[in-house]
Amino acid sequence: MDYYDEELLEARREQERKKHTTIESGIYAGDTLIQFVHITLPNSKIHLPLPEHFVTMPETIKEIKYPSKFAPDFIMTSLDSMINFSFNILDEKNGDIKAMGNQFQKILVNLNPAINIKSHDVMRTSQGNEMYCFEYDGYLLDGQSFNHVSLVKMQKSVLHCIFSCPACDSDKWRGGLEQVVLTIEEDV
C-alpha cells in the first residue's frame, strides 16, 4: 500500500512542477520553486527577471569571493552566496559580440588552462538584441562551479552577465537561466 501512496505523491509533485515552467509562474530549481521579480540594473535602463529571494552581494562578501580589481560591478546572490548573477556594462558600442565572446574565452583559458569551454552560441533575446553565450566549469575556493557567460549587445553598450552556481546544481538552474538571459531588455 505504501508503494501506491508514493506513486500518488510523485504524480502530484509532477503535476505541480508542470504549472511552474516560466518566469511568470515561477520555475523549479531542483525541489525549490523560484519566483522571479524584474529588476533594473543600477545606472542603466537594462532590466531582467531575477529570483526574488536574491539580494545584492554585500561588499565585504564580494571582496572575499571576487578579490580581483576586475570583480563584477553588480552581483545578485542567493542568501548563502553560492548562486550568483553578476553584471558589467561594457562601453562597447559597435563590437562584434562573437569576437568579444571568443576573446573572453581565450582570456579564461590563458588564466587557467584547465578550463574547458563547453558550449557557445549566438542567439537573440526576446527584444531582438544579439547575444553570445558560452559555458564552462570553474574552480573556486568553495568547490567546482558551473559558469554561464552572456554578452548582450544593447543600444550603446554590451551587457556582460555571468551566472555561477555549484557544478552539482547546474542542471537544476538551466531552464530558468535560459529564460532569464532571453528576457533581458533595455528601455528605448
Side-chain angles (χ1 to χ4, degrees):
M1 193 64 148
D2 288 337
Y3 182 71
Y4 179 73
D5 290 343
E6 289 174 21
E7 284 181 347
L8 189 59
L9 283 173
E10 185 58 34
R12 285 184 181 163
R13 279 190 213 109
E14 188 59 33
Q15 196 74 4
E16 181 66 18
R17 291 176 86 71
K18 288 179 181 179
K19 293 181 193 174
H20 300 284
T21 58
T22 67
I23 294 291
E24 292 77 23
S25 65
I27 296 173
Y28 273 92
D31 293 330
T32 305
L33 176 61
I34 306 295
Q35 297 290 338
F36 291 83
V37 295
H38 285 269
I39 67 145
T40 300
L41 296 179
N43 306 314
S44 79
K45 295 180 180 181
I46 300 168
H47 48 92
L48 67 155
L50 289 178
E52 71 178 355
H53 67 280
F54 277 35
V55 297
T56 302
M57 183 177 279
E59 284 298 318
T60 53
I61 303 296
K62 182 178 169 182
E63 290 170 5
I64 294 168
K65 230 171 147 84
Y66 299 92
S68 166
K69 67 179 182 177
F70 301 110
D73 293 333
F74 182 66
I75 304 169
M76 292 293 289
T77 186
S78 58
L79 296 177
D80 63 1
S81 77
M82 295 299 291
I83 303 166
N84 302 301
F85 284 92
S86 309
F87 305 95
N88 288 309
I89 298 175
L90 309 174
D91 289 331
E92 300 291 325
K93 293 179 186 173
N94 300 313
D96 176 354
I97 293 294
K98 188 172 182 178
M100 288 178 70
N102 288 332
Q103 187 175 18
F104 273 97
Q105 291 176 41
K106 286 178 187 174
I107 290 169
L108 286 167
V109 172
N110 284 341
L111 288 172
N112 184 349
I115 287 178
N116 180 24
I117 307 297
K118 292 182 180 178
S119 64
H120 48 85
D121 198 9
V122 177
M123 56 184 76
R124 294 207 175 268
T125 67
S126 59
Q127 192 177 41
N129 297 18
E130 186 180 9
M131 176 171 54
Y132 182 81
C133 301
F134 65 93
E135 299 176 350
Y136 67 95
D137 287 331
Y139 305 92
L140 303 171
L141 294 173
D142 43 10
Q144 191 173 15
S145 66
F146 164 79
N147 301 274
H148 176 94
V149 178
S150 301
L151 294 161
V152 185
K153 194 169 196 174
M154 307 309 283
Q155 292 174 28
K156 297 180 181 180
S157 61
V158 171
L159 177 64
H160 177 221
C161 173
I162 304 167
F163 170 82
S164 61
C165 71
C168 60
D169 292 337
S170 64
D171 288 340
K172 296 176 186 176
W173 281 91
R174 281 190 195 278
L177 171 62
E178 182 177 325
Q179 288 188 46
V180 166
V181 296
L182 288 174
T183 56
I184 294 171
E185 295 182 342
E186 183 176 28
D187 292 335
V188 181

